[in-house]
Amino acid sequence: MTDSPSTAVVADGKAIADDIRSQIADEVTSLVEAGHRPPHLTVVLVGDNPASLSYIKGKQRACTRVGFSSSEADLPEDTDMSTLLAVIDRLNEDDGVDGILVQLPLPSGLSADAVALAIDPAKDVDGLHPVNAGKLMAGQPGLYACTPLGIMEVLDRHKVALKGAQAVVIGRSNIVGKPISMLLQQRHATVTMCHSRTRDIAALCREADVVVAATGVARMVKADWIRPGATVIDVGVSVIDGKLVGDIDLEGVSKVAGLVTPPRGGVGPLTITMLLKNTLQAYRDRKGL
Ligand code: GUN
């Protein structure tokens, strides 16, 4: 018998995303056939960060494909906080807008925390308002952050057992690390939250059934950190020598793990899909439909 290295299943985030998006499109068709307007997402962009421009193009395209309407509020780089808050206020008041997303990062001098607080929680499709973050923490229904919701879709589609599992989350951001830790804990995993000051992350990962890496440090998670057969979810996106690279050393980790997500076509398509799902949820909740 040859001693061939084990090879992880590589999750196909795009296929899962396509499946969910077609369900969303069917729901929109039914709503429109019943005489309702389609859900509407407004994306606010301050400045012209090239990565942000590309992300929001993807979000608008995704809206169109499922039958949502969408719009963009483009503000100059030198926009001040009171102008940005006035734009958000106008969108909060506009009954034709169901979801508001202010693209991050914001130019320096503008406060992402103040923006999160200004968005009507009922339209907060990023799940960043403290009311929604608090609902997640309390286990109450609300709008939750999109990337963590997308990660749960990957885990569920691949039937990853979470009850009693050891999960290690690397990164403690409001948009990924904290909310994914809460969602995993709700599903009865024992969650260890690691960050830049954690001692010996490698040793903690070696005990884990599920590792979620969300740091933005390229290829940080090595093969010898991973328990054979573990699930490794890669949220990070870095560009190294023109190539998209995640937070895990994919080549090495794939030889040890049972399931991995790739930097392209992994968690990314699901983040946008969960944005669509949140927008539909916000629309239904606001309209009582
Ligand atoms: N920038 C990168 N990802 C995201 C996201 O999910 N939401 C927002 N608002 N900005 C981002």
Side-chain angles (χ1 to χ4, degrees), residues 1-32:
M1 230 166 66
T2 54
D3 191 21
S4 61
S6 61
T7 303
V9 171
V10 180
D12 186 346
K14 183 165 181 313
I16 302 170
D18 284 348
D19 192 33
I20 301 168
R21 288 185 202 191
S22 83
Q23 289 169 25
I24 294 171
D26 288 348
E27 285 189 56
V28 175
T29 303
S30 301
L31 286 162
V32 170

PDB file of all heavy atoms in Angstrom, residues 1-32:
ATOM      1  N   MET A   1       0.843  -1.206   0.000  1.00  0.00           N
ATOM      2  CA  MET A   1       0.000   0.000   0.000  1.00  0.00           C
ATOM      3  C   MET A   1       0.880   1.260   0.000  1.00  0.00           C
ATOM      4  O   MET A   1       1.847   1.322   0.742  1.00  0.00           O
ATOM      5  CB  MET A   1      -0.893  -0.021   1.243  1.00  0.00           C
ATOM      6  CG  MET A   1      -2.330   0.220   0.861  1.00  0.00           C
ATOM      7  SD  MET A   1      -3.477  -0.170   2.183  1.00  0.00           S
ATOM      8  CE  MET A   1      -3.070   1.057   3.400  1.00  0.00           C
ATOM      9  N   THR A   2       0.542   2.198  -0.823  1.00  0.00           N
ATOM     10  CA  THR A   2       1.328   3.433  -0.810  1.00  0.00           C
ATOM     11  C   THR A   2       0.815   4.356   0.290  1.00  0.00           C
ATOM     12  O   THR A   2      -0.369   4.344   0.615  1.00  0.00           O
ATOM     13  CB  THR A   2       1.218   4.173  -2.158  1.00  0.00           C
ATOM     14  OG1 THR A   2      -0.150   4.349  -2.444  1.00  0.00           O
ATOM     15  CG2 THR A   2       1.922   3.426  -3.266  1.00  0.00           C
ATOM     16  N   ASP A   3       1.732   5.135   0.801  1.00  0.00           N
ATOM     17  CA  ASP A   3       1.385   6.041   1.885  1.00  0.00           C
ATOM     18  C   ASP A   3       1.062   7.414   1.308  1.00  0.00           C
ATOM     19  O   ASP A   3       1.875   8.332   1.350  1.00  0.00           O
ATOM     20  CB  ASP A   3       2.566   6.107   2.861  1.00  0.00           C
ATOM     21  CG  ASP A   3       2.180   6.821   4.136  1.00  0.00           C
ATOM     22  OD1 ASP A   3       0.976   6.913   4.438  1.00  0.00           O
ATOM     23  OD2 ASP A   3       3.095   7.302   4.809  1.00  0.00           O
ATOM     24  N   SER A   4      -0.145   7.558   0.708  1.00  0.00           N
ATOM     25  CA  SER A   4      -0.462   8.836   0.068  1.00  0.00           C
ATOM     26  C   SER A   4      -0.955   9.832   1.108  1.00  0.00           C
ATOM     27  O   SER A   4      -1.666   9.458   2.039  1.00  0.00           O
ATOM     28  CB  SER A   4      -1.531   8.628  -1.006  1.00  0.00           C
ATOM     29  OG  SER A   4      -2.695   8.135  -0.413  1.00  0.00           O
ATOM     30  N   PRO A   5      -0.575  11.130   0.962  1.00  0.00           N
ATOM     31  CA  PRO A   5      -1.021  12.116   1.934  1.00  0.00           C
ATOM     32  C   PRO A   5      -2.528  12.320   1.822  1.00  0.00           C
ATOM     33  O   PRO A   5      -3.085  12.256   0.726  1.00  0.00           O
ATOM     34  CB  PRO A   5      -0.262  13.387   1.516  1.00  0.00           C
ATOM     35  CG  PRO A   5       0.108  13.188   0.098  1.00  0.00           C
ATOM     36  CD  PRO A   5       0.209  11.712  -0.128  1.00  0.00           C
ATOM     37  N   SER A   6      -3.175  12.537   2.967  1.00  0.00           N
ATOM     38  CA  SER A   6      -4.613  12.783   2.904  1.00  0.00           C
ATOM     39  C   SER A   6      -4.843  14.159   2.275  1.00  0.00           C
ATOM     40  O   SER A   6      -4.005  15.049   2.376  1.00  0.00           O
ATOM     41  CB  SER A   6      -5.211  12.751   4.308  1.00  0.00           C
ATOM     42  OG  SER A   6      -4.640  13.757   5.097  1.00  0.00           O
ATOM     43  N   THR A   7      -5.938  14.318   1.612  1.00  0.00           N
ATOM     44  CA  THR A   7      -6.223  15.578   0.936  1.00  0.00           C
ATOM     45  C   THR A   7      -7.594  16.054   1.361  1.00  0.00           C
ATOM     46  O   THR A   7      -8.571  15.312   1.299  1.00  0.00           O
ATOM     47  CB  THR A   7      -6.178  15.375  -0.597  1.00  0.00           C
ATOM     48  OG1 THR A   7      -4.899  14.853  -0.916  1.00  0.00           O
ATOM     49  CG2 THR A   7      -6.391  16.663  -1.336  1.00  0.00           C
ATOM     50  N   ALA A   8      -7.637  17.294   1.806  1.00  0.00           N
ATOM     51  CA  ALA A   8      -8.895  17.844   2.321  1.00  0.00           C
ATOM     52  C   ALA A   8      -9.899  18.063   1.202  1.00  0.00           C
ATOM     53  O   ALA A   8      -9.529  18.314   0.048  1.00  0.00           O
ATOM     54  CB  ALA A   8      -8.608  19.181   3.005  1.00  0.00           C
ATOM     55  N   VAL A   9     -11.161  18.004   1.558  1.00  0.00           N
ATOM     56  CA  VAL A   9     -12.216  18.474   0.669  1.00  0.00           C
ATOM     57  C   VAL A   9     -12.112  19.998   0.625  1.00  0.00           C
ATOM     58  O   VAL A   9     -11.950  20.645   1.671  1.00  0.00           O
ATOM     59  CB  VAL A   9     -13.607  18.058   1.209  1.00  0.00           C
ATOM     60  CG1 VAL A   9     -14.725  18.718   0.417  1.00  0.00           C
ATOM     61  CG2 VAL A   9     -13.745  16.537   1.208  1.00  0.00           C
ATOM     62  N   VAL A  10     -12.151  20.571  -0.576  1.00  0.00           N
ATOM     63  CA  VAL A  10     -12.126  22.032  -0.711  1.00  0.00           C
ATOM     64  C   VAL A  10     -13.569  22.502  -0.923  1.00  0.00           C
ATOM     65  O   VAL A  10     -14.203  22.136  -1.918  1.00  0.00           O
ATOM     66  CB  VAL A  10     -11.219  22.468  -1.890  1.00  0.00           C
ATOM     67  CG1 VAL A  10     -11.211  23.988  -2.019  1.00  0.00           C
ATOM     68  CG2 VAL A  10      -9.805  21.929  -1.700  1.00  0.00           C
ATOM     69  N   ALA A  11     -14.075  23.255   0.026  1.00  0.00           N
ATOM     70  CA  ALA A  11     -15.483  23.684  -0.046  1.00  0.00           C
ATOM     71  C   ALA A  11     -15.696  24.581  -1.270  1.00  0.00           C
ATOM     72  O   ALA A  11     -14.871  25.445  -1.568  1.00  0.00           O
ATOM     73  CB  ALA A  11     -15.864  24.440   1.224  1.00  0.00           C
ATOM     74  N   ASP A  12     -16.811  24.362  -1.948  1.00  0.00           N
ATOM     75  CA  ASP A  12     -17.147  25.171  -3.123  1.00  0.00           C
ATOM     76  C   ASP A  12     -18.175  26.228  -2.703  1.00  0.00           C
ATOM     77  O   ASP A  12     -19.384  26.021  -2.794  1.00  0.00           O
ATOM     78  CB  ASP A  12     -17.704  24.250  -4.223  1.00  0.00           C
ATOM     79  CG  ASP A  12     -17.941  25.000  -5.523  1.00  0.00           C
ATOM     80  OD1 ASP A  12     -17.930  26.250  -5.500  1.00  0.00           O
ATOM     81  OD2 ASP A  12     -18.133  24.335  -6.557  1.00  0.00           O
ATOM     82  N   GLY A  13     -17.647  27.354  -2.220  1.00  0.00           N
ATOM     83  CA  GLY A  13     -18.523  28.423  -1.723  1.00  0.00           C
ATOM     84  C   GLY A  13     -19.424  28.972  -2.812  1.00  0.00           C
ATOM     85  O   GLY A  13     -20.559  29.374  -2.547  1.00  0.00           O
ATOM     86  N   LYS A  14     -18.936  28.955  -4.043  1.00  0.00           N
ATOM     87  CA  LYS A  14     -19.732  29.520  -5.135  1.00  0.00           C
ATOM     88  C   LYS A  14     -20.964  28.658  -5.392  1.00  0.00           C
ATOM     89  O   LYS A  14     -22.062  29.177  -5.601  1.00  0.00           O
ATOM     90  CB  LYS A  14     -18.871  29.650  -6.394  1.00  0.00           C
ATOM     91  CG  LYS A  14     -19.621  30.279  -7.505  1.00  0.00           C
ATOM     92  CD  LYS A  14     -18.783  30.773  -8.638  1.00  0.00           C
ATOM     93  CE  LYS A  14     -19.662  31.425  -9.707  1.00  0.00           C
ATOM     94  NZ  LYS A  14     -20.841  30.649 -10.072  1.00  0.00           N
ATOM     95  N   ALA A  15     -20.767  27.327  -5.353  1.00  0.00           N
ATOM     96  CA  ALA A  15     -21.911  26.425  -5.599  1.00  0.00           C
ATOM     97  C   ALA A  15     -22.969  26.591  -4.502  1.00  0.00           C
ATOM     98  O   ALA A  15     -24.170  26.641  -4.790  1.00  0.00           O
ATOM     99  CB  ALA A  15     -21.430  24.983  -5.664  1.00  0.00           C
ATOM    100  N   ILE A  16     -22.511  26.689  -3.255  1.00  0.00           N
ATOM    101  CA  ILE A  16     -23.461  26.879  -2.147  1.00  0.00           C
ATOM    102  C   ILE A  16     -24.171  28.227  -2.319  1.00  0.00           C
ATOM    103  O   ILE A  16     -25.387  28.340  -2.157  1.00  0.00           O
ATOM    104  CB  ILE A  16     -22.735  26.814  -0.778  1.00  0.00           C
ATOM    105  CG1 ILE A  16     -22.004  25.475  -0.602  1.00  0.00           C
ATOM    106  CG2 ILE A  16     -23.706  27.048   0.371  1.00  0.00           C
ATOM    107  CD1 ILE A  16     -21.055  25.425   0.617  1.00  0.00           C
ATOM    108  N   ALA A  17     -23.383  29.243  -2.680  1.00  0.00           N
ATOM    109  CA  ALA A  17     -23.948  30.591  -2.874  1.00  0.00           C
ATOM    110  C   ALA A  17     -24.990  30.587  -3.991  1.00  0.00           C
ATOM    111  O   ALA A  17     -26.078  31.164  -3.848  1.00  0.00           O
ATOM    112  CB  ALA A  17     -22.831  31.584  -3.186  1.00  0.00           C
ATOM    113  N   ASP A  18     -24.678  29.915  -5.101  1.00  0.00           N
ATOM    114  CA  ASP A  18     -25.615  29.884  -6.236  1.00  0.00           C
ATOM    115  C   ASP A  18     -26.942  29.253  -5.829  1.00  0.00           C
ATOM    116  O   ASP A  18     -28.020  29.711  -6.225  1.00  0.00           O
ATOM    117  CB  ASP A  18     -25.008  29.070  -7.404  1.00  0.00           C
ATOM    118  CG  ASP A  18     -23.942  29.861  -8.144  1.00  0.00           C
ATOM    119  OD1 ASP A  18     -23.843  31.088  -7.919  1.00  0.00           O
ATOM    120  OD2 ASP A  18     -23.191  29.252  -8.938  1.00  0.00           O
ATOM    121  N   ASP A  19     -26.833  28.206  -5.033  1.00  0.00           N
ATOM    122  CA  ASP A  19     -28.021  27.498  -4.579  1.00  0.00           C
ATOM    123  C   ASP A  19     -28.920  28.427  -3.741  1.00  0.00           C
ATOM    124  O   ASP A  19     -30.128  28.535  -3.970  1.00  0.00           O
ATOM    125  CB  ASP A  19     -27.526  26.297  -3.749  1.00  0.00           C
ATOM    126  CG  ASP A  19     -28.628  25.322  -3.472  1.00  0.00           C
ATOM    127  OD1 ASP A  19     -29.506  25.192  -4.328  1.00  0.00           O
ATOM    128  OD2 ASP A  19     -28.615  24.700  -2.383  1.00  0.00           O
ATOM    129  N   ILE A  20     -28.294  29.127  -2.788  1.00  0.00           N
ATOM    130  CA  ILE A  20     -29.076  30.010  -1.914  1.00  0.00           C
ATOM    131  C   ILE A  20     -29.621  31.198  -2.714  1.00  0.00           C
ATOM    132  O   ILE A  20     -30.759  31.624  -2.536  1.00  0.00           O
ATOM    133  CB  ILE A  20     -28.228  30.497  -0.719  1.00  0.00           C
ATOM    134  CG1 ILE A  20     -27.725  29.297   0.095  1.00  0.00           C
ATOM    135  CG2 ILE A  20     -29.019  31.455   0.169  1.00  0.00           C
ATOM    136  CD1 ILE A  20     -26.653  29.637   1.125  1.00  0.00           C
ATOM    137  N   ARG A  21     -28.789  31.706  -3.643  1.00  0.00           N
ATOM    138  CA  ARG A  21     -29.241  32.868  -4.430  1.00  0.00           C
ATOM    139  C   ARG A  21     -30.433  32.509  -5.307  1.00  0.00           C
ATOM    140  O   ARG A  21     -31.311  33.329  -5.546  1.00  0.00           O
ATOM    141  CB  ARG A  21     -28.099  33.418  -5.286  1.00  0.00           C
ATOM    142  CG  ARG A  21     -27.062  34.117  -4.435  1.00  0.00           C
ATOM    143  CD  ARG A  21     -25.987  34.774  -5.272  1.00  0.00           C
ATOM    144  NE  ARG A  21     -24.778  34.975  -4.496  1.00  0.00           N
ATOM    145  CZ  ARG A  21     -23.753  35.703  -4.895  1.00  0.00           C
ATOM    146  NH1 ARG A  21     -23.768  36.300  -6.063  1.00  0.00           N
ATOM    147  NH2 ARG A  21     -22.689  35.840  -4.125  1.00  0.00           N
ATOM    148  N   SER A  22     -30.475  31.265  -5.797  1.00  0.00           N
ATOM    149  CA  SER A  22     -31.621  30.922  -6.639  1.00  0.00           C
ATOM    150  C   SER A  22     -32.889  30.819  -5.779  1.00  0.00           C
ATOM    151  O   SER A  22     -33.981  31.191  -6.236  1.00  0.00           O
ATOM    152  CB  SER A  22     -31.350  29.684  -7.503  1.00  0.00           C
ATOM    153  OG  SER A  22     -31.585  28.525  -6.796  1.00  0.00           O
ATOM    154  N   GLN A  23     -32.746  30.392  -4.528  1.00  0.00           N
ATOM    155  CA  GLN A  23     -33.916  30.396  -3.631  1.00  0.00           C
ATOM    156  C   GLN A  23     -34.388  31.834  -3.367  1.00  0.00           C
ATOM    157  O   GLN A  23     -35.588  32.116  -3.346  1.00  0.00           O
ATOM    158  CB  GLN A  23     -33.564  29.762  -2.277  1.00  0.00           C
ATOM    159  CG  GLN A  23     -33.345  28.256  -2.325  1.00  0.00           C
ATOM    160  CD  GLN A  23     -32.728  27.735  -1.016  1.00  0.00           C
ATOM    161  OE1 GLN A  23     -32.870  28.345   0.041  1.00  0.00           O
ATOM    162  NE2 GLN A  23     -32.036  26.613  -1.097  1.00  0.00           N
ATOM    163  N   ILE A  24     -33.413  32.740  -3.164  1.00  0.00           N
ATOM    164  CA  ILE A  24     -33.770  34.150  -2.928  1.00  0.00           C
ATOM    165  C   ILE A  24     -34.482  34.720  -4.152  1.00  0.00           C
ATOM    166  O   ILE A  24     -35.507  35.401  -4.039  1.00  0.00           O
ATOM    167  CB  ILE A  24     -32.511  34.980  -2.568  1.00  0.00           C
ATOM    168  CG1 ILE A  24     -31.935  34.518  -1.225  1.00  0.00           C
ATOM    169  CG2 ILE A  24     -32.828  36.483  -2.536  1.00  0.00           C
ATOM    170  CD1 ILE A  24     -30.572  35.116  -0.868  1.00  0.00           C
ATOM    171  N   ALA A  25     -33.947  34.401  -5.355  1.00  0.00           N
ATOM    172  CA  ALA A  25     -34.548  34.907  -6.601  1.00  0.00           C
ATOM    173  C   ALA A  25     -35.992  34.410  -6.728  1.00  0.00           C
ATOM    174  O   ALA A  25     -36.886  35.171  -7.142  1.00  0.00           O
ATOM    175  CB  ALA A  25     -33.706  34.461  -7.802  1.00  0.00           C
ATOM    176  N   ASP A  26     -36.229  33.156  -6.359  1.00  0.00           N
ATOM    177  CA  ASP A  26     -37.601  32.605  -6.418  1.00  0.00           C
ATOM    178  C   ASP A  26     -38.529  33.365  -5.468  1.00  0.00           C
ATOM    179  O   ASP A  26     -39.682  33.664  -5.804  1.00  0.00           O
ATOM    180  CB  ASP A  26     -37.610  31.113  -6.034  1.00  0.00           C
ATOM    181  CG  ASP A  26     -36.988  30.240  -7.121  1.00  0.00           C
ATOM    182  OD1 ASP A  26     -36.772  30.753  -8.242  1.00  0.00           O
ATOM    183  OD2 ASP A  26     -36.717  29.053  -6.844  1.00  0.00           O
ATOM    184  N   GLU A  27     -38.011  33.683  -4.279  1.00  0.00           N
ATOM    185  CA  GLU A  27     -38.837  34.429  -3.315  1.00  0.00           C
ATOM    186  C   GLU A  27     -39.176  35.814  -3.843  1.00  0.00           C
ATOM    187  O   GLU A  27     -40.292  36.296  -3.679  1.00  0.00           O
ATOM    188  CB  GLU A  27     -38.106  34.562  -1.966  1.00  0.00           C
ATOM    189  CG  GLU A  27     -38.098  33.289  -1.152  1.00  0.00           C
ATOM    190  CD  GLU A  27     -37.556  33.540   0.259  1.00  0.00           C
ATOM    191  OE1 GLU A  27     -38.090  34.408   0.978  1.00  0.00           O
ATOM    192  OE2 GLU A  27     -36.581  32.862   0.635  1.00  0.00           O
ATOM    193  N   VAL A  28     -38.187  36.451  -4.491  1.00  0.00           N
ATOM    194  CA  VAL A  28     -38.428  37.802  -5.034  1.00  0.00           C
ATOM    195  C   VAL A  28     -39.471  37.725  -6.147  1.00  0.00           C
ATOM    196  O   VAL A  28     -40.386  38.559  -6.220  1.00  0.00           O
ATOM    197  CB  VAL A  28     -37.118  38.445  -5.542  1.00  0.00           C
ATOM    198  CG1 VAL A  28     -37.392  39.795  -6.207  1.00  0.00           C
ATOM    199  CG2 VAL A  28     -36.128  38.622  -4.397  1.00  0.00           C
ATOM    200  N   THR A  29     -39.352  36.714  -6.999  1.00  0.00           N
ATOM    201  CA  THR A  29     -40.328  36.542  -8.083  1.00  0.00           C
ATOM    202  C   THR A  29     -41.740  36.433  -7.497  1.00  0.00           C
ATOM    203  O   THR A  29     -42.670  37.100  -7.976  1.00  0.00           O
ATOM    204  CB  THR A  29     -39.988  35.276  -8.908  1.00  0.00           C
ATOM    205  OG1 THR A  29     -38.661  35.409  -9.394  1.00  0.00           O
ATOM    206  CG2 THR A  29     -40.940  35.097 -10.073  1.00  0.00           C
ATOM    207  N   SER A  30     -41.885  35.621  -6.443  1.00  0.00           N
ATOM    208  CA  SER A  30     -43.221  35.454  -5.838  1.00  0.00           C
ATOM    209  C   SER A  30     -43.730  36.770  -5.265  1.00  0.00           C
ATOM    210  O   SER A  30     -44.915  37.112  -5.417  1.00  0.00           O
ATOM    211  CB  SER A  30     -43.178  34.431  -4.696  1.00  0.00           C
ATOM    212  OG  SER A  30     -42.739  33.205  -5.171  1.00  0.00           O
ATOM    213  N   LEU A  31     -42.837  37.521  -4.609  1.00  0.00           N
ATOM    214  CA  LEU A  31     -43.251  38.803  -4.019  1.00  0.00           C
ATOM    215  C   LEU A  31     -43.709  39.784  -5.097  1.00  0.00           C
ATOM    216  O   LEU A  31     -44.739  40.452  -4.956  1.00  0.00           O
ATOM    217  CB  LEU A  31     -42.091  39.414  -3.219  1.00  0.00           C
ATOM    218  CG  LEU A  31     -41.791  38.738  -1.879  1.00  0.00           C
ATOM    219  CD1 LEU A  31     -40.390  39.098  -1.378  1.00  0.00           C
ATOM    220  CD2 LEU A  31     -42.836  39.149  -0.825  1.00  0.00           C
ATOM    221  N   VAL A  32     -42.931  39.837  -6.189  1.00  0.00           N
ATOM    222  CA  VAL A  32     -43.248  40.791  -7.257  1.00  0.00           C
ATOM    223  C   VAL A  32     -44.543  40.368  -7.966  1.00  0.00           C
ATOM    224  O   VAL A  32     -45.400  41.206  -8.267  1.00  0.00           O
ATOM    225  CB  VAL A  32     -42.051  40.928  -8.237  1.00  0.00           C
ATOM    226  CG1 VAL A  32     -42.435  41.725  -9.475  1.00  0.00           C
ATOM    227  CG2 VAL A  32     -40.862  41.592  -7.527  1.00  0.00           C
TER     228      VAL A  32
END
